[in-house]
Amino acid sequence: MAAAPPLAPCLRSMRAVVFDTDGVITDSARRHAAAWKKAFDACLSAAGGQRPFDEVDDYLRHVDGRSRRDGAAEFLRSRGLDLPEGRPDDPPGTGTVWAVAARKDELFTQSLRTGPVDVWPGTVRLLDVLRAERVPCAAVSASRHAAELLVRAGLDDRFDAVVDGNEARRLRLPGKPDPALFVEAARRLRIPAGDTAVVEDALAGVEAGRRGGFGLVVGVNRTGDPVHAAGLRRHGADVVVSDPGDLLTAGGGG
């Protein structure tokens, strides 16, 4: 008897796959969250009477998947902190939205230099099968460090295109939940969005996939939190899995 196809049924009809980077390919979301916590907590402390930034709930709700500027603005707004916008070249600090974003980037960059880049084994297994099946793949991230992360993780050869924060800035692409990053990735793969799957762990990213008209939007719920799973579905996920490796099973998640 022939072996069952390795890809889940929901993925077999897709001609390309676009992966978010942080939290889906690389296990770097925790570093991002820790850097955001230090940057935000300085603002919250100065404001007084504010609870600290939560590295799980606040990160997933307000920051994950967004550009640094948009993530900073969204979280500060959620706490009623009306900081001036500032300018992209503001030095790291707490006085403007851009300064807070710069402080976060400074902290994350420091963290990046202190240890290896961890990857999610299930995602690597899926990437290997997709490569064997000659399915083109792209990596997308709002972070300008994504390409460096993939190189350091030894995964850059798994992707036919990378659209990161540097490319977004160069092309003036709006951040998630706008679908522009994903649409650009599909364009570089030369596959229509309707024939392309998006694999995302962020609410904003899942919404971007849905708004971009992608053929399959997979939400990744690594926390196992049913509330987050429901949020992923509410924002447009067709399928929710605990790990992209689940897409190698017959059921493909639910």
Side-chain angles (χ1 to χ4, degrees):
M1 181 180 294
L7 295 175
C10 63
L11 199 55
R12 278 182 225 150
S13 62
M14 296 293 102
R15 296 170 54 202
V17 183
V18 178
F19 292 83
D20 176 50
T21 303
D22 297 305
V24 174
I25 303 169
T26 62
D27 188 7
S28 48
R30 287 179 291 182
R31 292 190 186 192
H32 280 290
W36 276 120
K37 179 173 177 59
K38 290 180 180 179
F40 283 138
D41 281 358
C43 298
L44 298 173
S45 177
Q50 289 269 7
R51 71 184 185 280
F53 177 80
D54 187 288
E55 294 177 63
V56 177
D57 184 64
D58 285 329
Y59 179 76
L60 291 174
R61 188 182 301 273
H62 302 296
V63 176
D64 192 22
R66 301 180 188 273
S67 68
R68 281 187 293 119
R69 182 268 166 207
D70 291 350
E74 174 70 17
F75 174 73
L76 293 169
R77 186 165 45 245
S78 77
R79 295 295 184 92
L81 299 181
D82 187 21
L83 268 62
E85 175 76 7
R87 298 172 56 85
D89 59 355
D90 282 354
T94 60
T96 69
V97 172
W98 275 108
V100 175
R103 176 58 174 153
K104 180 269 172 180
D105 190 57
E106 179 180 65
L107 291 163
F108 179 77
T109 300
Q110 292 171 359
S111 172
L112 200 58
R113 304 293 187 263
T114 62
V117 176
D118 296 323
V119 299
W120 292 103
T123 304
V124 176
R125 289 196 300 272
L126 176 59
L127 285 167
D128 287 342
V129 171
L130 290 169
R131 183 165 61 171
E133 296 283 341
R134 299 178 183 249
V135 177
C137 295
V140 163
S141 176
S143 171
R144 66 186 182 89
H145 299 286
E148 178 186 357
L149 281 169
L150 293 173
V151 170
R152 291 188 59 202
L155 294 178
D156 53 307
D157 64 339
R158 305 301 207 282
F159 298 99
D160 302 281
V162 177
V163 182
D164 63 3
N166 294 311
E167 286 295 275
R169 184 172 183 177
R170 182 179 70 84
L171 298 173
R172 299 184 179 181
L173 301 176
K176 306 168 191 177
D178 190 285
L181 291 171
F182 289 141
V183 171
E184 175 63 16
R187 185 192 71 79
R188 294 185 184 192
L189 295 178
R190 300 182 180 181
I191 303 294
D195 294 325
T196 301
V198 165
V199 184
E200 253 285 3
D201 68 328
L203 299 178
V206 164
E207 183 177 338
R210 176 55 55 229
R211 288 171 59 181
F214 284 81
L216 175 68
V217 180
V218 179
V220 179
N221 179 29
R222 294 198 184 279
T223 67
D225 181 1
V227 174
H228 185 55
L232 291 168
R233 290 190 178 92
R234 190 168 59 250
H235 280 75
D238 299 300
V239 174
V240 175
V241 296
S242 60
D243 182 89
D246 295 346
L247 294 169
L248 295 175
T249 65

